[in-house]
Amino acid sequence: MAEQAPDATGAAVLLGTLADAGVTACFANPGTSEMHLVAALDGEPRMRAVLTLFEGVATGAADGYARMADRPAATLLHLGPGLANGTANLHNARRAGTPVVNVVGDHARDHKPLDAPLESDVDSLAGVVSARVHRTTDPERLGPDVADAVAAACGPPPAISTLLVPADVAWGPGYARGVPRPVSPLGRGALDADGLESAAKALWSGERCTLLIGGTGLRAAGLRAAQRIAAATGTALLAECFPTRTERGAGLPDVPRLAYPGDVAREQLAGTAHLVLVGAHSPVTFFGYPGRSGDLVPEGCTVHRVAETGAAGEIALLALADLVAADTPDPTVATAARPELPTGALTAPLAAAVVGALLPEGAIVVDESLTSGTGLPQATAGAPRHDWLTLTGGAIGFGMPAAIGAAVACPDRPVWSLQADGSAMYTVQALWTQAREGLDVTTVLYDNGAYAILRGELLGVGATLAEDSPARSLLDLGSPRLDFAAIGAGLGVPTTVATTAEELADGLRRATAEPGPHLVVARVPPLVP
Amino acid sequence: MAEQAPDATGAAVLLGTLADAGVTACFANPGTSEMHLVAALDGEPRMRAVLTLFEGVATGAADGYARMADRPAATLLHLGPGLANGTANLHNARRAGTPVVNVVGDHARDHKPLDAPLESDVDSLAGVVSARVHRTTDPERLGPDVADAVAAACGPPPAISTLLVPADVAWGPGYARGVPRPVSPLGRGALDADGLESAAKALWSGERCTLLIGGTGLRAAGLRAAQRIAAATGTALLAECFPTRTERGAGLPDVPRLAYPGDVAREQLAGTAHLVLVGAHSPVTFFGYPGRSGDLVPEGCTVHRVAETGAAGEIALLALADLVAADTPDPTVATAARPELPTGALTAPLAAAVVGALLPEGAIVVDESLTSGTGLPQATAGAPRHDWLTLTGGAIGFGMPAAIGAAVACPDRPVWSLQADGSAMYTVQALWTQAREGLDVTTVLYDNGAYAILRGELLGVGATLAEDSPARSLLDLGSPRLDFAAIGAGLGVPTTVATTAEELADGLRRATAEPGPHLVVARVPPLVP
């Protein structure tokens, strides 16, 4: 902890307490009510402030940062509307079990009752996504309030913690900093002792078991433990459909993910007598569909919950392995095996092969490729070690912001951002921050000219549209066709376009060789025509 | 009202009831839970569905539409995250007193308890901006629920009304449509009879009075009535700082707006003994500043409230004029007078002169020019008749979406969208919808490379930053410089760049002569360097 210097303003107390507590990155889109917090940044060199052009970029970056750093970043947001703009990506962070400390500037205390134009019910808004919302009303409590806010974000379990800071508390005199809370050595959340015991019994029962793994259970130690459990007991292993962070690649067990289509997921789980949830929610389909249950637990299957949260997944697997696989040797793992570099007109499966062939050692993959991601898991399973982050909450516009956060958290690792086109347009402003900060982010933008996933969903929900239906155009991005090369260049990122597998490979090689961000627009036909 | 055909699905009932009630525009960013509503569009030709790439564009468009059409549009949004993305512009609509009907698709009723990834507390979220939130749980009630939702939006007073529609209610069988409610002939909200009487007494007292006019009081009839009141009683006239919609130009009274800087606003109100609020809130500064009160009502001034809401402003002025100016002849009005077309290197004031010189007859101006708008009110006061829409709630990213809505509401009128650069980047996706729909929107994008307004606010709140301060870079958009010409072209809008007054004039003439949207990037130095 830094020496407690007398802080001139509340703003300095806030930043100093954040940094003392280990929060050293702040993704910001400030306004007038945050100006003193901006001014105080020069006095806190431990804090890296990253400007974004839109709050959804700031919150998505905070999510990506915490997934890789295992500690929270702060966001700096402007009153209710700023928080509202960041709420969709906070929803994703909530579903990821990611710690985030939102610092939301609000009107000065004597200004708030005047119902000025920017006044809104920011407290209720914050409650929609936050495990804890606190408003500092006593300037002397600001330091402790900040320490409490960080502690609430760190958990266990990790969560979103929102601190509302009136402008006059920030510009007023500084009092004592808050004292950082020690982070629990267990740190990642509690186990369910009864669940552990019943799961162990199930695994030894001889009946068909499936371990559904989520959260930190998909880190290296958890995966190795899971593989040992499988070797000892014959249980099947599945990862949740949209994991927060998976460590994978050559040298690590490759656990298949539960499929998005309900029919495929039901097949994966068919015959399971005991479903053991380790840091994963009980499996459900993403949406409800007419005439089909959304609950994916097979009829008659017993569900065992070992970890109460995703954050406890790794510890739970280690504990379970100790119980049922203490003498089992190291597991088999994915061997190094890359696809051949393909050639010819680009398609989503060919693009997956190119990514698999070229993914660099230590890469962080942020995957919002949606329908264009077909084949990616298989093509990359034997690539060098890497991390894989997915869209946990379904609120699109996560990928490019999260890539910012991952790159800030891990400046020495390359970040590959695999991004669908329709989703890209939610937070395309993220490219500018990647350029501004010189981040080593390579974006593959799958340009298929459609909301292809919705074409599939339209069939899934049993709705039909004729080929020439005017309403069908609402699933179409082709008129006018978005020119992502121009958009990327306009936002300051060097951009190339690939229409063949060779061009995609060239673009990715160049992006890997040169510092800073790159955008490779991968023109692919939509999977659902 | 259309004949009640048997509607096959709930989705068809919903669209049919909306159209029966006069809601014939829908700004949409649908997802899986809204697919049946999309499919039903082909069966309701009265409904114009406009696709947006981001929900903030949809909600801002609905605001702009209703300001011009005086009836609500619908939005079609995807669960909690979709509504969250639209919330900032709904905040602006709430402050504008605009009617909006949000149709938010939600999980099917049996899917909602499963806590699927996209599940969130959408009801609480909707409550932050909505006067009424309703969830249809009984499919037979869908039609009446839709009619109720539209009625709540129409008011009086006009407001935001949010209807949450479970996916299975939309895909399930259709029952009876709702019966549209007659819109009250007064329509625009109630008067305060006591306020009217006390205001009339004040106006005849001989003491110094100021009428602060907002809402519909700034339509032509209200302005003429206000001018008659001023002629009869000597009262000063002021418009609120950020009006929803002002009718102005040659032939109409030009009422100055309350200034944004508190010091200037205080001078405008100094010496006022009676402040008469007609559809306007009691005046406050936008933000609180150290050592200064945010309340702009002068010490000892008596406040009279004539209209309870902005929507009643016009009726209130007519009633007040009947009381105090029954025999006063027609008022003096702004005469037709345009600035000369200037020449030379472009600055914000020169750009204002170019706009004033070329603004076409019947234009709708959407003004989010912020600091670059210096001089616009004066330069355009004598232009041909036009409407002027402003950023009522301070949540930036309003302008380009609202321009979409205004153009859809008034397809025969040119829309000029005067847009600051930092704010533009919140909802820049709007340009694509302008191109897709072929809307006659001319955007002047003031590119000054900075959050210039924040540089001013930094001084205002008494914070200081050295010229070479790292934190100062958080107010800077110059590294890398946003290339709006590339961004505009990438989004499908024909784009030119103007660095001189002549080039701006050329760009605006071309935009006026050709159909469809145009973007003119106006490079200007920041007002606050």
Side-chain angles (χ1 to χ4, degrees):
Chain A
M1 189 183 147
E3 193 189 331
Q4 290 222 354
D7 292 306
T9 63
V13 170
L14 186 148
L15 290 177
T17 304
L18 283 177
D20 288 352
V23 179
T24 56
C26 175
F27 300 97
N29 187 269
T32 299
S33 42
E34 293 74 50
M35 281 298 100
H36 280 268
L37 291 163
V38 170
L41 281 168
D42 286 335
E44 185 45 82
R46 291 173 295 173
M47 182 65 73
R48 178 172 180 181
V50 176
L51 179 63
T52 67
L53 293 175
F54 176 69
E55 294 88 348
V57 178
T59 53
D63 183 8
Y65 177 96
R67 291 193 197 194
M68 293 311 303
D70 278 330
R71 59 195 167 96
T75 65
L76 183 58
L77 307 173
H78 185 46
L79 298 110
L83 178 60
N85 282 334
T87 291
N89 268 333
L90 290 172
H91 169 85
N92 290 324
R94 182 172 75 84
R95 288 292 175 184
T98 305
V100 177
V101 178
N102 295 311
V103 177
V104 181
D106 202 2
H107 282 308
R109 287 168 296 166
D110 66 350
H111 200 72
K112 195 165 175 66
L114 300 181
D115 197 32
L118 271 163
E119 174 63 17
S120 68
D121 183 3
V122 61
D123 305 70
S124 293
L125 178 64
V128 171
V129 286
S130 310
R132 180 178 186 271
V133 179
H134 186 76
R135 172 182 292 278
T136 295
T137 53
D138 174 359
E140 296 193 32
R141 287 282 314 160
L142 178 60
D145 283 354
V146 172
D148 288 350
V150 176
C154 291
I160 297 173
S161 174
T162 300
L163 185 65
L164 306 172
V165 182
D168 59 323
V169 171
W171 79 50
Y175 297 93
R177 290 188 185 175
V179 179
R181 227 57 66 67
V183 175
S184 139
L186 267 177
R188 289 179 174 170
L191 300 189
D192 182 321
D194 292 344
L196 196 62
E197 196 184 317
S198 79
K201 278 185 192 156
L203 289 167
W204 281 123
S205 68
E207 295 184 290
R208 186 150 169 188
C209 294
T210 300
L211 251 65
L212 183 63
I213 309 169
T216 58
L218 299 171
R219 307 287 181 92
L223 289 166
R224 291 202 178 96
Q227 194 84 335
R228 285 170 54 220
I229 295 167
T233 68
T235 185
L237 300 179
L238 277 177
E240 60 188 348
C241 185
F242 291 104
T244 297
R245 175 181 169 190
T246 306
E247 292 185 0
R248 60 196 300 273
L252 282 180
D254 179 36
V255 174
R257 281 158 58 183
L258 191 69
Y260 176 85
D263 294 343
V264 183
R266 275 189 200 89
E267 276 174 39
Q268 289 174 298
L269 292 166
T272 297
H274 296 276
L275 180 62
V276 180
L277 304 177
V278 197
H281 285 99
S282 191
V284 300
T285 56
F286 215 76
F287 294 104
Y289 299 94
R292 281 175 286 174
S293 165
D295 189 346
L296 291 172
V297 177
E299 189 90 21
C301 171
T302 306
V303 175
H304 310 264
R305 283 180 179 77
V306 178
E308 286 174 14
T309 69
E314 186 176 58
I315 291 166
L317 283 169
L318 295 172
L320 201 54
D322 267 358
L323 284 178
V324 303
D327 303 325
T328 305
D330 274 356
T332 58
V333 293
T335 49
R338 289 178 182 273
E340 297 272 308
L341 268 176
T343 58
L346 202 58
T347 61
L350 287 195
V354 175
V355 169
L358 298 177
L359 191 69
E361 172 83 36
I364 302 164
V365 178
V366 182
D367 178 10
E368 194 174 57
S369 54
L370 305 186
T371 58
S372 294
T374 308
L376 275 172
Q378 299 79 351
T380 54
R385 276 283 293 269
H386 59 275
D387 284 88
W388 200 278
L389 317 186
T390 79
L391 176 60
T392 50
I396 54 179
F398 151 82
M400 300 199 297
I404 293 171
V408 170
C410 303
D412 298 329
R413 297 178 61 177
V415 177
W416 280 29
S417 175
L418 310 180
Q419 181 61 51
D421 51 358
S423 308
M425 287 311 299
Y426 278 64
T427 48
V428 70
Q429 306 93 332
L431 291 171
W432 181 81
T433 296
Q434 293 176 9
R436 177 182 172 91
E437 298 287 326
L439 302 176
D440 185 10
V441 177
T442 299
T443 302
V444 178
L445 202 146
Y446 297 92
D447 174 8
N448 65 20
Y451 286 120
I453 195 166
L454 292 186
R455 295 185 182 173
E457 294 292 322
L458 189 73
L459 302 173
V461 300
T464 50
L465 285 175
E467 196 55 50
D468 60 348
S469 144
R472 195 177 169 83
S473 72
L474 264 74
L475 314 183
D476 175 30
L477 296 173
S479 175
R481 181 99 185 200
L482 288 158
D483 181 350
F484 283 102
I487 294 169
L491 293 166
V493 172
T495 301
T496 56
V497 177
T499 60
T500 65
E502 293 91 326
E503 287 169 353
L504 177 58
D506 284 349
L508 290 176
R509 283 201 200 92
R510 194 173 317 119
T512 304
E514 294 172 2
H518 293 78
L519 173 64
V520 185
V521 180
R523 295 250 167 87
V524 293
L527 199 71
V528 182
Chain B
M1 188 182 148
E3 193 189 332
Q4 291 222 354
D7 292 306
T9 62
V13 170
L14 186 148
L15 290 176
T17 304
L18 283 176
D20 288 352
V23 178
T24 56
C26 175
F27 299 98
N29 187 270
T32 299
S33 43
E34 292 74 50
M35 281 300 99
H36 281 269
L37 291 163
V38 170
L41 282 167
D42 287 335
E44 185 45 82
R46 292 174 294 172
M47 181 65 73
R48 178 171 180 183
V50 176
L51 179 63
T52 67
L53 294 175
F54 177 70
E55 294 88 349
V57 178
T59 53
D63 183 9
Y65 178 96
R67 292 192 197 195
M68 293 312 303
D70 278 330
R71 60 195 166 96
T75 66
L76 183 57
L77 307 173
H78 184 47
L79 298 111
L83 178 60
N85 282 334
T87 291
N89 268 333
L90 290 173
H91 169 85
N92 290 324
R94 182 173 74 85
R95 289 291 175 185
T98 305
V100 177
V101 179
N102 295 312
V103 177
V104 181
D106 202 2
H107 283 308
R109 287 168 297 167
D110 66 350
H111 201 71
K112 194 165 175 66
L114 300 181
D115 197 30
L118 272 164
E119 173 62 19
S120 69
D121 184 1
V122 60
D123 305 71
S124 293
L125 178 63
V128 171
V129 285
S130 309
R132 179 177 188 271
V133 180
H134 186 77
R135 171 182 291 279
T136 295
T137 52
D138 174 0
E140 296 192 33
R141 287 281 313 158
L142 179 60
D145 283 353
V146 172
D148 288 349
V150 175
C154 291
I160 297 173
S161 173
T162 300
L163 185 66
L164 307 172
V165 182
D168 60 322
V169 171
W171 80 49
Y175 298 94
R177 290 188 186 176
V179 179
R181 229 58 66 67
V183 175
S184 140
L186 267 176
R188 290 178 173 171
L191 300 189
D192 183 321
D194 292 344
L196 197 62
E197 196 185 316
S198 79
K201 278 186 192 155
L203 289 166
W204 282 124
S205 68
E207 296 185 290
R208 186 150 169 190
C209 294
T210 301
L211 251 64
L212 184 63
I213 308 168
T216 58
L218 299 170
R219 306 287 181 92
L223 288 165
R224 291 202 179 96
Q227 194 84 335
R228 285 170 54 222
I229 295 167
T233 68
T235 184
L237 300 180
L238 276 177
E240 61 188 346
C241 186
F242 290 103
T244 297
R245 175 182 169 189
T246 306
E247 292 185 1
R248 60 196 301 273
L252 282 180
D254 180 35
V255 174
R257 281 157 58 181
L258 191 69
Y260 175 86
D263 294 344
V264 183
R266 275 188 199 87
E267 276 174 38
Q268 289 174 297
L269 292 167
T272 297
H274 296 276
L275 180 63
V276 180
L277 303 176
V278 197
H281 284 100
S282 192
V284 300
T285 55
F286 215 77
F287 294 104
Y289 299 94
R292 282 176 284 175
S293 165
D295 188 347
L296 291 172
V297 178
E299 188 93 21
C301 170
T302 306
V303 176
H304 309 264
R305 283 180 180 77
V306 178
E308 286 175 14
T309 69
E314 186 177 59
I315 291 167
L317 283 169
L318 294 172
L320 202 54
D322 267 358
L323 285 178
V324 303
D327 303 325
T328 306
D330 275 356
T332 57
V333 294
T335 49
R338 289 178 181 273
E340 298 272 307
L341 267 177
T343 59
L346 201 57
T347 61
L350 287 196
V354 175
V355 169
L358 298 178
L359 192 69
E361 173 82 36
I364 302 164
V365 178
V366 182
D367 178 9
E368 194 174 58
S369 56
L370 305 186
T371 58
S372 295
T374 308
L376 276 172
Q378 299 78 353
T380 54
R385 275 283 292 271
H386 59 275
D387 283 88
W388 200 277
L389 316 185
T390 78
L391 177 60
T392 49
I396 54 178
F398 151 81
M400 300 199 297
I404 292 170
V408 170
C410 303
D412 298 328
R413 297 178 60 178
V415 177
W416 280 30
S417 174
L418 310 180
Q419 181 60 53
D421 51 357
S423 308
M425 287 311 298
Y426 278 63
T427 49
V428 71
Q429 305 94 331
L431 291 171
W432 181 80
T433 296
Q434 293 176 9
R436 178 182 172 89
E437 299 287 326
L439 302 175
D440 185 11
V441 177
T442 300
T443 302
V444 177
L445 203 147
Y446 297 92
D447 174 9
N448 65 21
Y451 286 121
I453 195 165
L454 293 186
R455 296 184 182 174
E457 293 293 320
L458 190 73
L459 302 172
V461 299
T464 50
L465 285 175
E467 195 56 50
D468 60 349
S469 144
R472 194 176 170 84
S473 72
L474 263 74
L475 313 184
D476 176 30
L477 295 174
S479 175
R481 182 97 184 203
L482 288 158
D483 181 349
F484 283 102
I487 294 169
L491 293 166
V493 172
T495 301
T496 56
V497 176
T499 59
T500 64
E502 294 91 327
E503 287 169 352
L504 177 58
D506 285 349
L508 290 175
R509 282 199 201 93
R510 194 173 318 121
T512 304
E514 296 172 1
H518 293 78
L519 173 64
V520 185
V521 180
R523 294 251 166 86
V524 294
L527 199 71
V528 182

